[in-house]
mmCIF file of all heavy atoms in Angstrom:
data_model
loop_
_atom_site.group_PDB
_atom_site.id
_atom_site.type_symbol
_atom_site.label_atom_id
_atom_site.label_comp_id
_atom_site.label_asym_id
_atom_site.label_seq_id
_atom_site.Cartn_x
_atom_site.Cartn_y
_atom_site.Cartn_z
ATOM 1 N N THR A 1 81.337 117.510 109.566
ATOM 2 C CA THR A 1 82.504 118.157 109.942
ATOM 3 C C THR A 1 82.779 117.941 111.432
ATOM 4 O O THR A 1 83.994 117.637 111.723
ATOM 5 C CB THR A 1 82.380 119.718 109.766
ATOM 6 O OG1 THR A 1 82.111 119.906 108.351
ATOM 7 C CG2 THR A 1 83.652 120.436 110.211
ATOM 8 N N PHE A 2 81.800 117.828 112.287
ATOM 9 C CA PHE A 2 81.978 117.503 113.648
ATOM 10 C C PHE A 2 82.601 116.141 113.862
ATOM 11 O O PHE A 2 83.458 115.919 114.644
ATOM 12 C CB PHE A 2 80.702 117.670 114.441
ATOM 13 C CG PHE A 2 80.044 119.001 114.376
ATOM 14 C CD1 PHE A 2 78.641 119.135 114.732
ATOM 15 C CD2 PHE A 2 80.821 120.143 114.052
ATOM 16 C CE1 PHE A 2 78.076 120.406 114.689
ATOM 17 C CE2 PHE A 2 80.204 121.440 114.045
ATOM 18 C CZ PHE A 2 78.817 121.559 114.349
ATOM 19 N N ILE A 3 81.988 115.179 113.052
ATOM 20 C CA ILE A 3 82.503 113.839 113.090
ATOM 21 C C ILE A 3 83.897 113.726 112.660
ATOM 22 O O ILE A 3 84.757 113.033 113.259
ATOM 23 C CB ILE A 3 81.563 112.862 112.354
ATOM 24 C CG1 ILE A 3 80.148 112.777 113.027
ATOM 25 C CG2 ILE A 3 82.184 111.408 112.261
ATOM 26 C CD1 ILE A 3 79.138 112.019 112.219
ATOM 27 N N ASP A 4 84.222 114.427 111.555
ATOM 28 C CA ASP A 4 85.609 114.373 111.038
ATOM 29 C C ASP A 4 86.615 114.926 112.110
ATOM 30 O O ASP A 4 87.684 114.399 112.268
ATOM 31 C CB ASP A 4 85.713 115.170 109.765
ATOM 32 C CG ASP A 4 87.042 115.208 109.150
ATOM 33 O OD1 ASP A 4 87.503 114.101 108.765
ATOM 34 O OD2 ASP A 4 87.632 116.261 109.073
ATOM 35 N N ARG A 5 86.244 116.037 112.710
ATOM 36 C CA ARG A 5 87.105 116.645 113.725
ATOM 37 C C ARG A 5 87.287 115.738 114.930
ATOM 38 O O ARG A 5 88.384 115.514 115.475
ATOM 39 C CB ARG A 5 86.533 117.965 114.197
ATOM 40 C CG ARG A 5 86.702 119.068 113.143
ATOM 41 C CD ARG A 5 85.915 120.332 113.572
ATOM 42 N NE ARG A 5 86.067 121.421 112.632
ATOM 43 C CZ ARG A 5 85.293 122.454 112.613
ATOM 44 N NH1 ARG A 5 84.310 122.634 113.542
ATOM 45 N NH2 ARG A 5 85.472 123.419 111.682
ATOM 46 N N GLY A 6 86.106 115.082 115.337
ATOM 47 C CA GLY A 6 86.209 114.154 116.418
ATOM 48 C C GLY A 6 87.000 112.918 116.130
ATOM 49 O O GLY A 6 87.819 112.434 116.945
ATOM 50 N N GLU A 7 86.855 112.390 114.915
ATOM 51 C CA GLU A 7 87.658 111.255 114.509
ATOM 52 C C GLU A 7 89.158 111.534 114.437
ATOM 53 O O GLU A 7 89.962 110.653 114.776
ATOM 54 C CB GLU A 7 87.168 110.711 113.147
ATOM 55 C CG GLU A 7 87.637 109.339 112.782
ATOM 56 C CD GLU A 7 86.966 108.865 111.530
ATOM 57 O OE1 GLU A 7 86.965 109.581 110.499
ATOM 58 O OE2 GLU A 7 86.378 107.755 111.523
ATOM 59 N N LYS A 8 89.524 112.723 114.095
ATOM 60 C CA LYS A 8 90.881 113.116 114.154
ATOM 61 C C LYS A 8 91.474 113.073 115.520
ATOM 62 O O LYS A 8 92.665 112.642 115.755
ATOM 63 C CB LYS A 8 91.130 114.515 113.532
ATOM 64 C CG LYS A 8 91.040 114.551 112.053
ATOM 65 C CD LYS A 8 91.249 115.952 111.407
ATOM 66 C CE LYS A 8 91.436 115.934 109.959
ATOM 67 N NZ LYS A 8 90.271 115.459 109.223
ATOM 68 N N ILE A 9 90.632 113.431 116.483
ATOM 69 C CA ILE A 9 91.078 113.358 117.903
ATOM 70 C C ILE A 9 91.288 111.874 118.272
ATOM 71 O O ILE A 9 92.333 111.486 118.905
ATOM 72 C CB ILE A 9 90.029 113.939 118.835
ATOM 73 C CG1 ILE A 9 89.904 115.467 118.595
ATOM 74 C CG2 ILE A 9 90.405 113.728 120.331
ATOM 75 C CD1 ILE A 9 88.729 116.136 119.353
ATOM 76 N N ILE A 10 90.401 110.989 117.913
ATOM 77 C CA ILE A 10 90.454 109.602 118.139
ATOM 78 C C ILE A 10 91.716 108.980 117.520
ATOM 79 O O ILE A 10 92.459 108.281 118.143
ATOM 80 C CB ILE A 10 89.230 108.817 117.537
ATOM 81 C CG1 ILE A 10 87.998 109.209 118.320
ATOM 82 C CG2 ILE A 10 89.369 107.271 117.616
ATOM 83 C CD1 ILE A 10 86.661 108.703 117.795
ATOM 84 N N ASN A 11 91.942 109.386 116.233
ATOM 85 C CA ASN A 11 93.116 108.820 115.529
ATOM 86 C C ASN A 11 94.453 109.312 116.121
ATOM 87 O O ASN A 11 95.489 108.638 116.101
ATOM 88 C CB ASN A 11 93.063 109.198 114.120
ATOM 89 C CG ASN A 11 92.053 108.350 113.312
ATOM 90 O OD1 ASN A 11 91.779 107.218 113.666
ATOM 91 N ND2 ASN A 11 91.428 108.901 112.299
ATOM 92 N N ARG A 12 94.468 110.500 116.750
ATOM 93 C CA ARG A 12 95.692 110.934 117.338
ATOM 94 C C ARG A 12 95.966 110.267 118.604
ATOM 95 O O ARG A 12 97.173 110.042 118.952
ATOM 96 C CB ARG A 12 95.533 112.495 117.654
ATOM 97 C CG ARG A 12 95.844 113.368 116.454
ATOM 98 C CD ARG A 12 96.079 114.783 116.871
ATOM 99 N NE ARG A 12 95.004 115.410 117.467
ATOM 100 C CZ ARG A 12 94.056 116.104 116.945
ATOM 101 N NH1 ARG A 12 94.032 116.170 115.636
ATOM 102 N NH2 ARG A 12 93.060 116.614 117.636
ATOM 103 N N HIS A 13 94.977 109.862 119.386
ATOM 104 C CA HIS A 13 95.235 109.371 120.779
ATOM 105 C C HIS A 13 94.917 107.936 121.011
ATOM 106 O O HIS A 13 95.413 107.356 121.966
ATOM 107 C CB HIS A 13 94.332 110.139 121.735
ATOM 108 C CG HIS A 13 94.667 111.615 121.787
ATOM 109 N ND1 HIS A 13 95.812 112.114 122.461
ATOM 110 C CD2 HIS A 13 94.076 112.710 121.221
ATOM 111 C CE1 HIS A 13 95.826 113.536 122.311
ATOM 112 N NE2 HIS A 13 94.821 113.888 121.569
ATOM 113 N N LEU A 14 94.159 107.258 120.155
ATOM 114 C CA LEU A 14 93.770 105.879 120.328
ATOM 115 C C LEU A 14 94.700 104.909 119.584
ATOM 116 O O LEU A 14 95.043 105.181 118.414
ATOM 117 C CB LEU A 14 92.396 105.671 119.926
ATOM 118 C CG LEU A 14 91.581 104.464 120.398
ATOM 119 C CD1 LEU A 14 91.528 104.489 121.976
ATOM 120 C CD2 LEU A 14 90.176 104.286 119.860
ATOM 121 N N ARG A 15 95.104 103.843 120.293
ATOM 122 C CA ARG A 15 95.927 102.832 119.710
ATOM 123 C C ARG A 15 95.521 101.459 120.226
ATOM 124 O O ARG A 15 95.965 100.988 121.177
ATOM 125 C CB ARG A 15 97.479 103.033 120.000
ATOM 126 C CG ARG A 15 98.064 104.305 119.429
ATOM 127 C CD ARG A 15 98.195 104.201 117.953
ATOM 128 N NE ARG A 15 98.790 105.413 117.337
ATOM 129 C CZ ARG A 15 98.138 106.514 116.945
ATOM 130 N NH1 ARG A 15 96.844 106.552 117.091
ATOM 131 N NH2 ARG A 15 98.804 107.509 116.400
ATOM 132 N N THR A 16 94.512 100.893 119.557
ATOM 133 C CA THR A 16 93.974 99.581 119.952
ATOM 134 C C THR A 16 94.299 98.558 119.046
ATOM 135 O O THR A 16 94.831 98.757 117.868
ATOM 136 C CB THR A 16 92.403 99.703 120.029
ATOM 137 O OG1 THR A 16 91.893 99.889 118.707
ATOM 138 C CG2 THR A 16 91.955 100.807 120.927
ATOM 139 N N LEU A 17 94.140 97.274 119.375
ATOM 140 C CA LEU A 17 94.442 96.128 118.565
ATOM 141 C C LEU A 17 93.669 96.166 117.297
ATOM 142 O O LEU A 17 94.173 95.799 116.249
ATOM 143 C CB LEU A 17 94.224 94.857 119.346
ATOM 144 C CG LEU A 17 94.998 94.602 120.604
ATOM 145 C CD1 LEU A 17 94.579 93.277 121.196
ATOM 146 C CD2 LEU A 17 96.465 94.634 120.317
ATOM 147 N N ALA A 18 92.458 96.711 117.327
ATOM 148 C CA ALA A 18 91.625 96.746 116.085
ATOM 149 C C ALA A 18 92.117 97.677 115.106
ATOM 150 O O ALA A 18 91.747 97.694 113.943
ATOM 151 C CB ALA A 18 90.153 97.150 116.509
ATOM 152 N N MET A 19 93.001 98.615 115.534
ATOM 153 C CA MET A 19 93.570 99.509 114.579
ATOM 154 C C MET A 19 94.833 99.082 113.887
ATOM 155 O O MET A 19 95.445 99.705 113.027
ATOM 156 C CB MET A 19 93.934 100.886 115.313
ATOM 157 C CG MET A 19 92.726 101.592 115.870
ATOM 158 S SD MET A 19 93.115 103.000 116.895
ATOM 159 C CE MET A 19 93.550 104.191 115.646
ATOM 160 N N GLU A 20 95.366 97.885 114.371
ATOM 161 C CA GLU A 20 96.508 97.345 113.798
ATOM 162 C C GLU A 20 96.294 96.560 112.441
ATOM 163 O O GLU A 20 95.198 95.870 112.386
ATOM 164 C CB GLU A 20 97.212 96.318 114.748
ATOM 165 C CG GLU A 20 97.678 96.924 115.980
ATOM 166 C CD GLU A 20 98.515 96.019 116.845
ATOM 167 O OE1 GLU A 20 98.878 94.922 116.377
ATOM 168 O OE2 GLU A 20 98.698 96.328 118.078
ATOM 169 N N THR A 21 97.064 96.802 111.454
ATOM 170 C CA THR A 21 96.825 96.105 110.164
ATOM 171 C C THR A 21 98.187 95.880 109.589
ATOM 172 O O THR A 21 99.172 96.527 109.891
ATOM 173 C CB THR A 21 96.018 96.966 109.244
ATOM 174 O OG1 THR A 21 95.636 96.185 108.101
ATOM 175 C CG2 THR A 21 96.632 98.269 108.728
ATOM 176 N N THR A 22 98.307 94.960 108.597
ATOM 177 C CA THR A 22 99.552 94.620 107.971
ATOM 178 C C THR A 22 99.429 94.762 106.477
ATOM 179 O O THR A 22 98.464 94.126 105.892
ATOM 180 C CB THR A 22 100.010 93.204 108.284
ATOM 181 O OG1 THR A 22 100.206 93.064 109.733
ATOM 182 C CG2 THR A 22 101.356 92.919 107.630
ATOM 183 N N LEU A 23 100.266 95.472 105.829
ATOM 184 C CA LEU A 23 100.345 95.609 104.353
ATOM 185 C C LEU A 23 101.561 94.838 103.937
ATOM 186 O O LEU A 23 102.733 95.183 104.229
ATOM 187 C CB LEU A 23 100.405 97.039 103.997
ATOM 188 C CG LEU A 23 100.425 97.299 102.470
ATOM 189 C CD1 LEU A 23 99.132 96.825 101.769
ATOM 190 C CD2 LEU A 23 100.713 98.812 102.120
ATOM 191 N N THR A 24 101.337 93.799 103.128
ATOM 192 C CA THR A 24 102.417 92.887 102.673
ATOM 193 C C THR A 24 102.971 93.237 101.267
ATOM 194 O O THR A 24 103.868 92.545 100.790
ATOM 195 C CB THR A 24 102.005 91.425 102.672
ATOM 196 O OG1 THR A 24 100.847 91.311 101.793
ATOM 197 C CG2 THR A 24 101.530 91.035 104.059
ATOM 198 N N THR A 25 102.346 94.239 100.707
ATOM 199 C CA THR A 25 102.712 94.500 99.282
ATOM 200 C C THR A 25 103.488 95.845 99.081
ATOM 201 O O THR A 25 103.540 96.395 98.037
ATOM 202 C CB THR A 25 101.466 94.632 98.407
ATOM 203 O OG1 THR A 25 100.559 95.566 98.924
ATOM 204 C CG2 THR A 25 100.702 93.273 98.398
ATOM 205 N N MET A 26 104.189 96.242 100.090
ATOM 206 C CA MET A 26 104.980 97.467 99.945
ATOM 207 C C MET A 26 106.265 97.120 99.153
ATOM 208 O O MET A 26 106.700 95.992 99.099
ATOM 209 C CB MET A 26 105.395 98.059 101.337
ATOM 210 C CG MET A 26 104.217 98.520 102.146
ATOM 211 S SD MET A 26 104.734 99.298 103.716
ATOM 212 C CE MET A 26 105.311 100.828 103.120
ATOM 213 N N SER A 27 106.781 98.082 98.462
ATOM 214 C CA SER A 27 107.908 97.762 97.531
ATOM 215 C C SER A 27 108.918 99.008 97.580
ATOM 216 O O SER A 27 108.567 100.127 97.376
ATOM 217 C CB SER A 27 107.422 97.578 96.124
ATOM 218 O OG SER A 27 108.468 97.294 95.203
ATOM 219 N N LEU A 28 110.168 98.613 97.880
ATOM 220 C CA LEU A 28 111.282 99.579 97.709
ATOM 221 C C LEU A 28 111.911 99.293 96.370
ATOM 222 O O LEU A 28 112.552 98.252 96.140
ATOM 223 C CB LEU A 28 112.294 99.367 98.901
ATOM 224 C CG LEU A 28 113.563 100.188 98.805
ATOM 225 C CD1 LEU A 28 113.253 101.721 98.879
ATOM 226 C CD2 LEU A 28 114.574 99.858 99.910
ATOM 227 N N ALA A 29 111.720 100.230 95.516
ATOM 228 C CA ALA A 29 112.203 100.047 94.118
ATOM 229 C C ALA A 29 113.762 100.112 94.004
ATOM 230 O O ALA A 29 114.403 100.781 94.822
ATOM 231 C CB ALA A 29 111.607 101.020 93.201
ATOM 232 N N ALA A 30 114.277 99.432 93.031
ATOM 233 C CA ALA A 30 115.772 99.472 92.739
ATOM 234 C C ALA A 30 116.127 100.876 92.563
ATOM 235 O O ALA A 30 115.439 101.663 91.819
ATOM 236 C CB ALA A 30 116.067 98.602 91.532
ATOM 237 N N ALA A 31 117.289 101.275 93.149
ATOM 238 C CA ALA A 31 117.832 102.641 93.020
ATOM 239 C C ALA A 31 117.092 103.729 93.809
ATOM 240 O O ALA A 31 117.425 104.864 93.812
ATOM 241 C CB ALA A 31 117.984 103.111 91.589
ATOM 242 N N ALA A 32 116.081 103.262 94.512
ATOM 243 C CA ALA A 32 115.213 104.237 95.270
ATOM 244 C C ALA A 32 115.701 104.181 96.769
ATOM 245 O O ALA A 32 116.168 103.173 97.248
ATOM 246 C CB ALA A 32 113.755 103.894 95.267
ATOM 247 N N SER A 33 115.612 105.285 97.492
ATOM 248 C CA SER A 33 116.000 105.341 98.886
ATOM 249 C C SER A 33 114.782 105.782 99.744
ATOM 250 O O SER A 33 115.021 106.260 100.878
ATOM 251 C CB SER A 33 117.114 106.387 99.059
ATOM 252 O OG SER A 33 116.804 107.591 98.680
ATOM 253 N N SER A 34 113.596 105.705 99.221
ATOM 254 C CA SER A 34 112.388 105.956 100.015
ATOM 255 C C SER A 34 111.196 105.265 99.318
ATOM 256 O O SER A 34 111.257 104.767 98.182
ATOM 257 C CB SER A 34 112.106 107.473 100.006
ATOM 258 O OG SER A 34 111.742 107.953 98.789
#
């Protein structure tokens, strides 16, 4: 639980190159607006 809470702090405040990723398989379906 301590690690989970601490990791949430990290995820809120840290923005490093190692955190960058690309998802190429996203899909906006026909007739959808989200």
Side-chain angles (χ1 to χ4, degrees):
T1 300
F2 299 162
I3 293 172
D4 181 65
R5 288 172 179 164
E7 193 171 54
K8 283 181 168 62
I9 295 172
I10 293 172
N11 285 331
R12 279 197 297 270
H13 297 283
L14 200 61
R15 295 292 182 271
T16 64
L17 298 180
M19 298 173 75
E20 295 186 16
T21 189
T22 301
L23 180 64
T24 61
T25 56
M26 297 186 72
S27 179
L28 175 60
S33 58
S34 68

